[in-house]
Coordinates of all heavy atoms in Angstrom, one line a residue:
M29 N -114.5 172.3 -19.0 CA -114.8 171.9 -20.5 C -114.1 172.8 -21.4 O -114.1 174.0 -21.2 CB -116.2 171.8 -20.7 CG -116.6 171.4 -22.0 SD -118.3 171.1 -22.2 CE -118.2 169.6 -23.4
S30 N -113.3 172.3 -22.4 CA -112.6 173.2 -23.3 C -113.6 173.8 -24.5 O -114.6 173.1 -24.8 CB -111.4 172.4 -24.0 OG -111.9 171.3 -24.7
S31 N -113.1 174.9 -25.1 CA -113.9 175.4 -26.1 C -113.7 174.5 -27.4 O -112.7 173.9 -27.6 CB -113.4 176.8 -26.4 OG -113.5 177.6 -25.3
P32 N -114.7 174.5 -28.4 CA -114.5 173.9 -29.6 C -113.4 174.6 -30.3 O -113.1 175.7 -30.2 CB -115.9 174.2 -30.3 CG -116.8 174.4 -29.2 CD -116.0 175.2 -28.2
S33 N -112.7 173.8 -31.1 CA -111.5 174.2 -31.8 C -111.7 174.3 -33.3 O -112.5 173.4 -33.9 CB -110.2 173.4 -31.4 OG -110.7 172.0 -31.8
V34 N -111.0 175.2 -33.9 CA -111.1 175.5 -35.3 C -109.7 175.7 -35.9 O -108.9 176.4 -35.3 CB -111.9 176.8 -35.7 CG1 -111.9 177.1 -37.1 CG2 -113.4 176.8 -35.1
L35 N -109.3 174.8 -36.9 CA -108.2 175.0 -37.5 C -108.3 175.8 -38.7 O -109.1 175.6 -39.6 CB -107.5 173.6 -37.9 CG -106.2 173.6 -38.8 CD1 -105.0 174.2 -38.0 CD2 -105.8 172.3 -39.3
I36 N -107.5 176.9 -38.8 CA -107.6 178.0 -39.9 C -106.3 177.7 -40.8 O -105.2 177.7 -40.3 CB -107.5 179.3 -39.5 CG1 -108.7 179.6 -38.6 CG2 -107.4 180.3 -40.6 CD1 -108.6 180.8 -37.6
V37 N -106.5 177.3 -41.9 CA -105.2 177.1 -42.9 C -105.3 178.0 -44.1 O -106.2 178.0 -45.0 CB -105.4 175.7 -43.5 CG1 -104.0 175.4 -44.3 CG2 -105.6 174.6 -42.4
D38 N -104.4 179.0 -44.0 CA -104.3 180.0 -45.0 C -102.7 180.5 -45.1 O -102.1 180.7 -44.1 CB -105.1 181.3 -44.7 CG -105.4 182.1 -46.0 OD1 -104.4 182.6 -46.6 OD2 -106.6 182.1 -46.4
D39 N -102.2 180.7 -46.3 CA -100.9 181.1 -46.5 C -100.7 182.6 -46.3 O -99.5 183.1 -46.2 CB -100.3 180.7 -47.8 CG -101.1 181.2 -49.0 OD1 -102.3 181.2 -48.9 OD2 -100.4 181.6 -50.0
E40 N -101.8 183.4 -46.1 CA -101.6 184.9 -45.9 C -101.7 185.2 -44.4 O -102.8 185.0 -43.9 CB -102.6 185.5 -46.8 CG -102.5 185.4 -48.2 CD -103.5 186.2 -49.1 OE1 -103.7 187.4 -48.7 OE2 -104.0 185.6 -50.1
P41 N -100.7 185.7 -43.8 CA -100.7 185.9 -42.4 C -101.8 187.0 -41.9 O -102.3 186.7 -41.0 CB -99.4 186.6 -42.1 CG -98.4 186.2 -43.3 CD -99.4 186.0 -44.5
D42 N -102.1 187.9 -42.7 CA -103.2 188.9 -42.3 C -104.4 188.1 -42.3 O -105.3 188.4 -41.5 CB -103.2 190.1 -43.3 CG -102.0 190.9 -43.2 OD1 -101.2 190.8 -42.2 OD2 -101.7 191.7 -44.2
I43 N -104.8 187.4 -43.3 CA -106.0 186.7 -43.3 C -106.2 185.7 -42.1 O -107.1 185.6 -41.4 CB -106.3 185.9 -44.6 CG1 -106.5 187.0 -45.7 CG2 -107.5 185.0 -44.5 CD1 -106.6 186.4 -47.1
R44 N -105.1 184.9 -41.9 CA -105.0 183.9 -40.8 C -105.3 184.7 -39.4 O -106.1 184.2 -38.6 CB -103.6 183.2 -40.7 CG -103.6 182.0 -41.4 CD -102.3 181.2 -41.0 NE -101.1 181.9 -40.6 CZ -100.3 182.2 -41.5 NH1 -100.2 181.9 -42.7 NH2 -99.2 182.9 -40.9
E45 N -104.7 185.9 -39.2 CA -104.9 186.4 -38.0 C -106.2 187.0 -37.9 O -106.9 187.1 -36.7 CB -103.7 187.7 -37.9 CG -103.8 188.3 -36.5 CD -103.6 187.5 -35.3 OE1 -102.9 186.4 -35.4 OE2 -104.2 187.7 -34.3
L46 N -106.8 187.7 -38.9 CA -108.1 188.1 -38.8 C -109.1 187.0 -38.5 O -110.0 187.2 -37.7 CB -108.5 188.8 -40.2 CG -109.9 189.4 -40.3 CD1 -110.2 190.4 -39.3 CD2 -110.1 189.9 -41.7
L47 N -109.0 185.9 -39.3 CA -109.9 184.8 -39.0 C -109.8 184.2 -37.5 O -110.7 184.1 -36.8 CB -109.7 183.7 -40.0 CG -110.2 183.9 -41.5 CD1 -109.6 182.9 -42.4 CD2 -111.6 184.1 -41.5
A48 N -108.4 184.1 -37.1 CA -108.3 183.7 -35.7 C -108.9 184.6 -34.7 O -109.6 184.1 -33.8 CB -106.8 183.5 -35.5
M49 N -108.8 185.9 -34.8 CA -109.4 186.9 -34.0 C -110.9 186.8 -33.9 O -111.4 186.8 -32.9 CB -109.0 188.3 -34.3 CG -107.5 188.8 -34.0 SD -107.0 190.3 -34.7 CE -108.4 191.3 -34.8
T50 N -111.5 186.5 -35.2 CA -112.9 186.5 -35.1 C -113.4 185.1 -34.5 O -114.3 185.2 -33.7 CB -113.3 186.5 -36.7 OG1 -112.9 187.8 -37.3 CG2 -114.8 186.4 -36.8
I51 N -112.7 184.1 -34.8 CA -113.0 182.8 -34.1 C -112.9 182.9 -32.6 O -113.8 182.4 -31.9 CB -112.1 181.7 -34.7 CG1 -112.4 181.6 -36.2 CG2 -112.2 180.4 -33.9 CD1 -113.7 180.9 -36.6
R52 N -111.8 183.5 -32.2 CA -111.7 183.6 -30.8 C -112.7 184.4 -30.1 O -113.3 184.1 -28.9 CB -110.3 184.2 -30.3 CG -109.3 183.2 -30.7 CD -107.8 183.7 -30.4 NE -106.8 182.8 -30.8 CZ -105.8 183.0 -31.6 NH1 -105.8 184.2 -32.2 NH2 -105.0 182.0 -32.0
R53 N -113.1 185.5 -30.8 CA -114.3 186.3 -30.3 C -115.6 185.6 -30.1 O -116.4 186.0 -29.2 CB -114.4 187.6 -31.0 CG -113.4 188.7 -30.7 CD -113.6 189.9 -31.6 NE -112.5 190.8 -31.5 CZ -112.0 191.7 -32.5 NH1 -112.7 191.8 -33.6 NH2 -111.0 192.5 -32.2
M54 N -115.7 184.6 -30.9 CA -116.9 183.9 -31.0 C -116.8 182.8 -29.9 O -117.8 182.0 -29.7 CB -117.1 183.2 -32.3 CG -117.4 184.2 -33.3 SD -117.4 183.5 -35.0 CE -118.8 182.4 -35.0
G55 N -115.8 182.7 -29.1 CA -115.6 181.8 -28.1 C -115.0 180.4 -28.4 O -115.1 179.4 -27.5
F56 N -114.4 180.3 -29.6 CA -113.7 179.1 -30.0 C -112.2 179.2 -29.9 O -111.7 180.3 -29.9 CB -114.0 178.8 -31.5 CG -115.5 178.6 -31.8 CD1 -116.3 179.6 -32.4 CD2 -116.1 177.4 -31.4 CE1 -117.5 179.5 -32.6 CE2 -117.4 177.2 -31.6 CZ -118.3 178.3 -32.3
E57 N -111.5 178.1 -29.8 CA -110.1 178.1 -29.8 C -109.7 178.1 -31.3 O -110.3 177.3 -32.1 CB -109.7 176.7 -29.2 CG -108.1 176.6 -29.1 CD -107.7 175.3 -28.6 OE1 -108.4 174.4 -28.3 OE2 -106.4 175.1 -28.4
A58 N -108.7 179.0 -31.7 CA -108.3 179.0 -33.0 C -106.8 178.5 -33.2 O -105.9 178.9 -32.4 CB -108.3 180.5 -33.5
L59 N -106.6 177.5 -34.0 CA -105.3 177.0 -34.4 C -105.1 177.5 -35.7 O -106.0 177.5 -36.6 CB -105.3 175.5 -34.2 CG -105.8 174.9 -32.9 CD1 -106.0 173.4 -33.1 CD2 -104.7 175.2 -31.9
C60 N -103.8 177.6 -36.1 CA -103.4 178.1 -37.4 C -102.4 177.4 -38.0 O -101.5 176.9 -37.4 CB -103.0 179.6 -37.4 SG -104.3 180.7 -36.8
A61 N -102.4 177.2 -39.4 CA -101.3 176.6 -40.1 C -101.2 177.5 -41.4 O -102.2 178.0 -42.0 CB -101.7 175.2 -40.6
E62 N -100.1 177.6 -41.9 CA -99.9 178.4 -43.2 C -99.9 177.6 -44.5 O -99.8 178.1 -45.6 CB -98.6 179.2 -43.1 CG -97.3 178.3 -43.1 CD -96.1 179.2 -42.9 OE1 -96.1 180.2 -42.1 OE2 -95.0 178.8 -43.3
D63 N -99.7 176.2 -44.4 CA -99.8 175.4 -45.5 C -100.3 174.1 -45.2 O -100.6 173.7 -44.1 CB -98.4 175.4 -46.0 CG -97.3 174.9 -45.1 OD1 -97.6 174.3 -44.1 OD2 -96.1 175.2 -45.4
L64 N -100.4 173.2 -46.3 CA -100.8 171.9 -46.1 C -100.1 171.1 -45.1 O -100.7 170.4 -44.3 CB -100.9 171.2 -47.5 CG -101.6 169.9 -47.6 CD1 -103.0 170.0 -47.2 CD2 -101.5 169.4 -49.1
A65 N -98.8 171.1 -45.2 CA -97.9 170.3 -44.3 C -98.1 170.7 -42.8 O -98.1 169.9 -41.9 CB -96.4 170.5 -44.7
G66 N -98.2 172.1 -42.7 CA -98.4 172.6 -41.2 C -99.8 172.2 -40.7 O -100.0 171.8 -39.5
A67 N -100.8 172.1 -41.6 CA -102.2 171.7 -41.2 C -102.1 170.1 -40.9 O -102.7 169.8 -39.7 CB -103.2 171.8 -42.4
R68 N -101.4 169.3 -41.6 CA -101.2 168.0 -41.3 C -100.5 167.7 -39.9 O -100.9 166.8 -39.2 CB -100.5 167.3 -42.4 CG -101.4 167.1 -43.6 CD -100.6 166.3 -44.7 NE -101.4 166.1 -45.9 CZ -101.1 165.9 -47.1 NH1 -99.6 165.8 -47.3 NH2 -101.8 165.8 -48.0
R69 N -99.5 168.5 -39.7 CA -98.8 168.4 -38.4 C -99.7 168.8 -37.3 O -99.7 168.1 -36.2 CB -97.6 169.4 -38.4 CG -96.4 168.7 -39.2 CD -95.1 169.7 -38.8 NE -95.2 171.0 -39.2 CZ -95.1 171.5 -40.4 NH1 -94.7 170.7 -41.4 NH2 -95.2 172.8 -40.7
Q70 N -100.5 169.8 -37.3 CA -101.4 170.2 -36.4 C -102.4 169.1 -36.2 O -102.8 168.7 -34.9 CB -102.2 171.4 -36.7 CG -101.4 172.7 -36.7 CD -101.5 173.4 -35.4 OE1 -102.0 172.9 -34.4 NE2 -100.7 174.5 -35.4
L71 N -103.0 168.5 -37.2 CA -104.0 167.4 -37.1 C -103.4 166.2 -36.6 O -104.2 165.4 -36.0 CB -104.8 167.3 -38.4 CG -105.6 168.5 -38.7 CD1 -106.0 168.5 -40.2 CD2 -106.8 168.7 -37.8
D72 N -102.1 166.0 -36.7 CA -101.5 164.7 -36.2 C -101.4 164.9 -34.7 O -101.4 163.8 -34.0 CB -100.2 164.5 -36.8 CG -100.2 163.7 -38.1 OD1 -101.2 163.1 -38.5 OD2 -99.3 163.9 -38.9
K73 N -101.2 166.1 -34.2 CA -101.1 166.3 -32.8 C -102.4 166.3 -32.0 O -102.4 165.8 -30.9 CB -100.5 167.7 -32.5 CG -99.1 167.9 -32.9 CD -98.7 169.3 -32.6 CE -97.4 169.6 -33.3 NZ -97.1 171.0 -33.2
R74 N -103.5 166.7 -32.7 CA -104.8 166.8 -31.9 C -106.0 166.9 -32.9 O -105.7 167.2 -34.1 CB -104.8 168.0 -31.0 CG -104.6 169.3 -31.8 CD -104.9 170.6 -31.0 NE -106.2 170.5 -30.6 CZ -106.9 171.6 -29.9 NH1 -106.1 172.5 -29.3 NH2 -108.1 171.4 -29.5
S75 N -107.2 166.6 -32.5 CA -108.3 166.8 -33.3 C -108.8 168.1 -33.2 O -108.6 168.7 -32.2 CB -109.3 165.6 -32.9 OG -109.8 165.8 -31.7
V76 N -109.6 168.5 -34.1 CA -110.2 169.8 -34.2 C -111.8 169.6 -34.3 O -112.2 168.6 -35.1 CB -109.8 170.9 -35.1 CG1 -108.3 171.1 -34.8 CG2 -109.9 170.3 -36.6
D77 N -112.6 170.5 -34.1 CA -114.0 170.5 -34.3 C -114.5 171.0 -35.7 O -115.6 170.7 -36.2 CB -114.8 171.2 -33.2 CG -114.6 170.5 -31.9 OD1 -115.0 169.5 -31.7 OD2 -113.8 171.3 -31.0
F78 N -113.7 171.8 -36.3 CA -113.9 172.4 -37.6 C -112.6 172.8 -38.3 O -111.7 173.3 -37.6 CB -114.8 173.6 -37.3 CG -115.4 174.2 -38.7 CD1 -116.4 173.5 -39.4 CD2 -114.9 175.3 -39.2 CE1 -117.0 174.0 -40.5 CE2 -115.4 175.8 -40.5 CZ -116.5 175.2 -41.0
C79 N -112.6 172.7 -39.5 CA -111.4 173.2 -40.2 C -111.9 174.2 -41.4 O -112.9 174.0 -42.1 CB -110.7 172.1 -40.9 SG -109.2 172.4 -41.9
L80 N -111.1 175.3 -41.4 CA -111.4 176.3 -42.4 C -110.2 176.5 -43.3 O -109.1 176.9 -42.8 CB -111.8 177.6 -41.8 CG -112.1 178.9 -42.6 CD1 -113.3 178.6 -43.5 CD2 -112.4 180.1 -41.7
T81 N -110.2 176.2 -44.6 CA -109.0 176.2 -45.4 C -109.1 177.0 -46.6 O -110.2 177.1 -47.2 CB -108.5 174.8 -45.7 OG1 -107.3 174.9 -46.5 CG2 -109.6 174.0 -46.5
D82 N -108.0 177.6 -47.1 CA -108.0 178.4 -48.3 C -108.0 177.2 -49.4 O -107.5 176.0 -49.1 CB -106.6 179.1 -48.4 CG -106.6 180.1 -49.5 OD1 -107.6 180.3 -50.3 OD2 -105.6 180.8 -49.6
M83 N -108.3 177.6 -50.6 CA -108.3 176.6 -51.7 C -106.8 176.4 -52.2 O -106.4 175.3 -52.3 CB -109.1 177.0 -52.9 CG -109.1 176.2 -54.0 SD -109.7 174.5 -53.7 CE -111.3 174.7 -54.0
K84 N -106.1 177.6 -52.4 CA -104.7 177.4 -52.9 C -103.7 177.7 -51.7 O -103.7 178.6 -51.1 CB -104.6 178.5 -54.0 CG -105.2 178.3 -55.2 CD -104.9 179.3 -56.3 CE -105.6 179.1 -57.6 NZ -105.3 180.1 -58.6
L85 N -102.9 176.7 -51.6 CA -101.9 176.8 -50.5 C -100.6 176.5 -51.3 O -100.4 176.0 -52.3 CB -102.0 175.6 -49.5 CG -103.4 175.7 -48.7 CD1 -103.7 174.5 -48.0 CD2 -103.4 176.9 -47.8
P86 N -99.5 177.0 -50.6 CA -98.2 176.9 -51.2 C -97.7 175.4 -51.6 O -97.0 175.2 -52.5 CB -97.2 177.5 -50.2 CG -98.0 178.3 -49.2 CD -99.4 177.7 -49.3
D87 N -98.1 174.4 -50.9 CA -97.7 173.2 -51.1 C -98.9 172.1 -51.4 O -98.8 170.9 -51.3 CB -97.0 172.6 -49.9 CG -97.8 172.6 -48.6 OD1 -98.9 173.2 -48.6 OD2 -97.4 172.0 -47.5
G88 N -100.0 172.7 -51.9 CA -101.1 171.9 -52.2 C -102.4 172.7 -52.3 O -102.4 173.9 -52.5
T89 N -103.5 172.1 -52.2 CA -104.8 172.6 -52.2 C -105.6 172.3 -51.0 O -105.4 171.3 -50.3 CB -105.6 172.3 -53.5 OG1 -106.0 170.8 -53.3 CG2 -104.7 172.4 -54.7
G90 N -106.7 173.1 -50.8 CA -107.7 172.7 -49.8 C -108.4 171.4 -50.0 O -108.7 170.7 -49.2
L91 N -108.6 171.1 -51.2 CA -109.2 169.8 -51.7 C -108.3 168.6 -51.3 O -108.8 167.5 -50.8 CB -109.5 169.7 -53.1 CG -110.6 170.8 -53.7 CD1 -110.8 170.7 -55.1 CD2 -111.9 170.6 -52.8
E92 N -107.0 168.8 -51.4 CA -106.0 167.8 -50.8 C -106.2 167.5 -49.4 O -106.2 166.4 -48.9 CB -104.6 168.1 -51.2 CG -104.4 168.0 -52.7 CD -102.8 168.4 -53.0 OE1 -102.0 167.6 -53.0 OE2 -102.8 169.5 -53.4
L93 N -106.4 168.6 -48.6 CA -106.5 168.5 -47.2 C -107.8 167.8 -46.9 O -107.8 167.0 -46.0 CB -106.5 170.0 -46.6 CG -106.7 170.0 -45.0 CD1 -105.6 169.2 -44.3 CD2 -106.7 171.5 -44.5
I94 N -108.9 168.2 -47.6 CA -110.1 167.5 -47.4 C -110.0 166.0 -47.6 O -110.5 165.1 -46.8 CB -111.2 168.0 -48.2 CG1 -111.6 169.4 -47.8 CG2 -112.6 167.1 -48.2 CD1 -112.5 170.3 -48.7
A95 N -109.4 165.5 -48.7 CA -109.2 164.1 -49.0 C -108.3 163.5 -48.0 O -108.6 162.3 -47.5 CB -108.5 164.1 -50.4
W96 N -107.3 164.1 -47.4 CA -106.5 163.6 -46.4 C -107.2 163.4 -45.1 O -107.2 162.5 -44.5 CB -105.3 164.5 -46.2 CG -104.3 164.0 -45.1 CD1 -103.4 163.0 -45.3 CD2 -104.2 164.4 -43.8 NE1 -102.6 162.8 -44.1 CE2 -103.1 163.7 -43.2 CE3 -104.9 165.3 -43.0 CZ2 -102.8 163.8 -41.9 CZ3 -104.5 165.5 -41.7 CH2 -103.5 164.8 -41.2
L97 N -108.1 164.4 -44.8 CA -108.9 164.3 -43.6 C -109.9 163.2 -43.7 O -110.1 162.5 -42.7 CB -109.7 165.7 -43.3 CG -108.9 166.8 -42.8 CD1 -109.6 168.1 -42.8 CD2 -108.5 166.5 -41.3
Q98 N -110.5 163.0 -44.8 CA -111.5 162.0 -45.0 C -110.9 160.5 -44.9 O -111.7 159.6 -44.7 CB -112.3 162.2 -46.3 CG -113.2 163.4 -46.2 CD -114.0 163.6 -47.6 OE1 -113.6 163.1 -48.7 NE2 -115.1 164.5 -47.4
S99 N -109.6 160.4 -45.2 CA -109.0 159.2 -45.0 C -108.8 158.7 -43.6 O -108.3 157.6 -43.2 CB -107.6 159.2 -45.8 OG -106.7 159.8 -45.1
R100 N -108.9 159.8 -42.7 CA -108.7 159.5 -41.2 C -110.0 159.2 -40.5 O -111.1 159.5 -41.0 CB -108.0 160.8 -40.6 CG -106.7 160.9 -41.2 CD -106.0 162.3 -41.0 NE -105.9 162.6 -39.5 CZ -104.8 162.3 -38.9 NH1 -103.7 161.9 -39.5 NH2 -104.8 162.7 -37.5
A101 N -109.9 158.6 -39.3 CA -111.1 158.4 -38.4 C -111.7 159.7 -38.0 O -111.0 160.6 -37.6 CB -110.6 157.5 -37.2
D102 N -113.0 159.8 -38.1 CA -113.8 160.8 -37.5 C -113.3 162.2 -38.0 O -112.9 163.1 -37.1 CB -113.8 160.8 -35.9 CG -114.8 161.6 -35.4 OD1 -116.0 161.9 -36.0 OD2 -114.8 162.1 -34.2
P103 N -113.3 162.5 -39.1 CA -112.9 163.8 -39.9 C -113.8 165.0 -39.4 O -115.0 164.8 -39.3 CB -112.9 163.6 -41.3 CG -113.8 162.5 -41.5 CD -113.9 161.7 -40.3
P104 N -113.3 166.2 -39.2 CA -114.2 167.3 -38.8 C -114.7 167.8 -40.1 O -114.3 167.6 -41.2 CB -113.0 168.3 -38.3 CG -111.9 168.0 -39.0 CD -111.8 166.5 -39.2
P105 N -115.7 168.7 -40.0 CA -116.3 169.4 -41.1 C -115.3 170.3 -41.6 O -114.4 170.9 -40.8 CB -117.6 170.0 -40.5 CG -117.8 169.6 -39.1 CD -116.5 168.9 -38.7
V106 N -115.3 170.6 -42.8 CA -114.4 171.5 -43.5 C -115.1 172.5 -44.3 O -116.0 172.3 -45.1 CB -113.3 170.7 -44.3 CG1 -112.4 171.8 -44.9 CG2 -112.6 169.8 -43.5
A107 N -114.7 173.8 -44.4 CA -115.2 174.8 -45.2 C -113.9 175.3 -46.1 O -112.9 175.5 -45.4 CB -115.9 176.0 -44.5
V108 N -114.2 175.5 -47.3 CA -113.0 176.0 -48.3 C -113.4 177.5 -48.6 O -114.5 177.8 -49.0 CB -112.9 175.0 -49.5 CG1 -111.8 175.6 -50.4 CG2 -112.7 173.6 -49.1

């Protein structure tokens, strides 16, 4: 059985890496994206169990990501 997965969306590499390390230590799979487009690409490839996003992204906002997720079947919970 695979570990639950978390998508981390943040444009700051240091924050992404710190969050990914923390998530992995908790036993979860961590996926990362640096912007809204990257998050959408990740989510088009696979589903995740949880999404953690920054509010301000280079190409949009965390709220735009939430709206996009909610338009899809079975969206994951999201924290901004």
